[in-house]
Amino acid sequence: TVCRWWKEIEVLIVTGATTAKVEANNTAIKHTKRTGRGFTNARNYKTRILLRSAARTAA
């Protein structure tokens, strides 16, 4: 497995670049979508998403 992934491992060692921020954003989007499930009223759905986004940026 290490041999197969060596190019990617070498890039990580040299640059220190990871996809952690992208993965964190994807997870946040999924959590936001999950928060809105069950709302039949579009306005309540939008309000809930905005409140969740505000809570994330305030922390």
Side-chain angles (χ1 to χ4, degrees), residues 22-32 34:
V22 173
E23 292 298 327
N25 286 333
N26 287 340
T27 301
I29 291 167
K30 287 182 183 181
H31 283 294
T32 302
R34 283 188 199 117

Side-chain angles (χ1 to χ4, degrees), residues 9-54:
I9 293 169
E10 192 174 25
V11 168
L12 173 63
I13 292 169
V14 172
T15 66
T18 66
T19 60
K21 289 182 181 180
V22 173
E23 292 298 327
N25 286 333
N26 287 340
T27 301
I29 291 167
K30 287 182 183 181
H31 283 294
T32 302
K33 288 173 80 175
R34 283 188 199 117
T35 299
R37 285 197 183 134
F39 287 102
T40 55
N41 183 332
R43 184 173 179 200
N44 290 347
Y45 178 74
K46 182 178 176 181
T47 302
R48 183 66 178 191
I49 289 173
L50 291 173
L51 285 171
R52 176 136 179 113
S53 298

Side-chain angles (χ1 to χ4, degrees), residues 1-15:
T1 303
V2 173
C3 292
R4 243 186 327 162
W5 285 90
W6 183 247
K7 285 183 183 181
E8 289 83 357
I9 293 169
E10 192 174 25
V11 168
L12 173 63
I13 292 169
V14 172
T15 66

